[in-house]
Amino acid sequence: MTSHRQPAVFAGHGSPMYAIEPNRYTAAWASLGKSLKRPDAILVISAHWVTRGVWVTAMPKPKTIHDFGGFPQALFDIQYPAPGSPALADRVKELLDVPVVLEENEWGIDHGAWSVLKYLYPDANVPVVQLSLDGSLSANEHYELAKKLRPLRDENILILASGNVVHNLRTIHWEEGATPYPWAKEFNDFFVSEMKANHHETLIHWEQFGDAAHLSIPTPEHYWPALYVLAQQEQGEVPKTQVDGIEMGSIGMLTFTIQ
């Protein structure tokens, strides 16, 4: 990584409970945060904000969104009071060169973002802007859109995408230490291998991998953020696995960087 360029980070965020129950994944996020040059702002692409069209948060003080149910009150009490950055929102709109809605009221920082950010930047003192996932786009269209964000990294903006490469809620086992499903491990290992080989086309067209892929990605919104980080890779840069694992049988916790 050049001295002035920020990396791009994909975090497998897993259960919201990790925000109040630290583990080896959250330790890896905290360690990564300490190793990074402080950015001027962070652009987050979260699996938990899927919209019609492309939206970006543009308010100066985004609210902390608790977009889940059935969890302990301690999780709902968490606040991540990072400032926003209307200037970054405008810059994102300029770079994407597609119709972009500047969101100033309804959204904020959702748990796919703050559950990771609270470990990366616990003081919540770096401005945060969220970019939505347009649910009407194909995987390839998401990848091509993401490539337009590359200049941000040379402007000291950290690009953070949050989702899960393997994410099947219908098959999870809630007990701690559950054995990963063979298909979950198979697809996760495939993703890591192809990522390291710079085979982006294969990962864009993940459906061609077969049953393991379809079981790992029953719906694509948690997978798409990984493509936003792969799309940041430029010549001479390499992907680096920060931490990896399969939790609850079918939730992939891979976190990787492009730098």
Side-chain angles (χ1 to χ4, degrees):
M1 185 178 67
T2 58
S3 60
H4 63 280
R5 178 179 292 166
Q6 283 287 342
V9 179
F10 173 78
H13 65 245
S15 170
M17 288 298 292
Y18 295 167
I20 56 175
E21 295 179 349
N23 52 46
R24 70 185 185 94
Y25 306 110
T26 65
W29 302 336
S31 178
L32 178 61
K34 292 174 183 176
S35 74
L36 298 176
K37 172 192 171 187
R38 180 186 170 91
D40 289 335
I42 304 166
L43 178 66
V44 181
I45 301 95
S46 166
H48 291 274
W49 194 24
V50 180
T51 55
R52 179 177 297 177
V54 179
W55 295 54
V56 63
T57 58
M59 67 285 289
K61 294 183 178 180
K63 60 187 175 183
T64 302
I65 297 176
H66 301 87
D67 50 328
F68 45 69
F71 289 96
Q73 184 60 41
L75 201 56
F76 291 89
D77 292 340
I78 289 180
Q79 294 293 311
Y80 191 79
S85 175
L88 176 56
D90 288 338
R91 178 65 171 140
V92 169
K93 182 175 183 178
E94 175 186 26
L95 286 172
L96 292 182
D97 196 29
V98 297
V100 175
V101 178
L102 296 178
E103 165 54 44
E104 299 181 8
N105 299 300
E106 298 302 320
W107 206 247
I109 304 176
D110 66 46
H111 87 268
W114 59 255
S115 65
V116 177
L117 286 169
K118 76 179 293 288
Y119 292 102
L120 283 174
Y121 298 101
D123 294 332
N125 56 3
V126 180
V128 175
V129 166
Q130 279 204 222
L131 174 66
S132 76
L133 293 165
D134 182 348
S136 70
L137 299 184
S138 67
N140 188 66
E141 288 170 329
H142 279 292
Y143 180 86
E144 292 300 322
L145 186 71
K147 285 165 66 174
K148 298 179 180 181
L149 299 171
R150 286 180 178 178
L152 293 176
R153 297 176 57 209
D154 290 320
E155 299 169 14
N156 202 32
I157 304 300
L158 176 68
I159 295 175
L160 169 66
S162 176
N164 298 96
V165 166
V166 176
H167 186 266
N168 191 328
L169 294 180
R170 294 173 295 185
T171 58
I172 61 174
H173 293 297
W174 288 105
E175 69 269 16
E176 187 175 347
T179 301
Y181 288 98
W183 49 261
K185 188 175 187 307
E186 181 184 359
F187 184 74
N188 190 75
D189 290 350
F190 165 76
F191 184 95
V192 172
S193 176
E194 295 298 283
M195 175 185 75
K196 290 182 176 178
N198 300 325
H199 293 165
H200 291 190
E201 281 297 317
T202 308
L203 297 177
I204 292 168
H205 301 288
W206 56 269
E207 302 99 327
Q208 298 175 8
F209 190 66
D211 289 345
H214 289 276
L215 285 165
S216 297
I217 310 172
T219 58
E221 77 288 338
H222 275 74
Y223 185 80
W224 285 335
L227 299 180
Y228 276 73
V229 172
L230 290 178
Q232 303 311 309
Q233 186 173 356
E234 300 199 52
Q235 187 172 1
E237 294 187 313
V238 295
K240 180 181 179 182
T241 298
Q242 301 292 328
V243 68
D244 196 6
I246 306 289
E247 295 298 314
M248 295 180 283
S250 56
I251 303 296
M253 293 301 299
L254 174 67
T255 290
F256 67 89
T257 55
I258 298 292
Q259 54 192 76

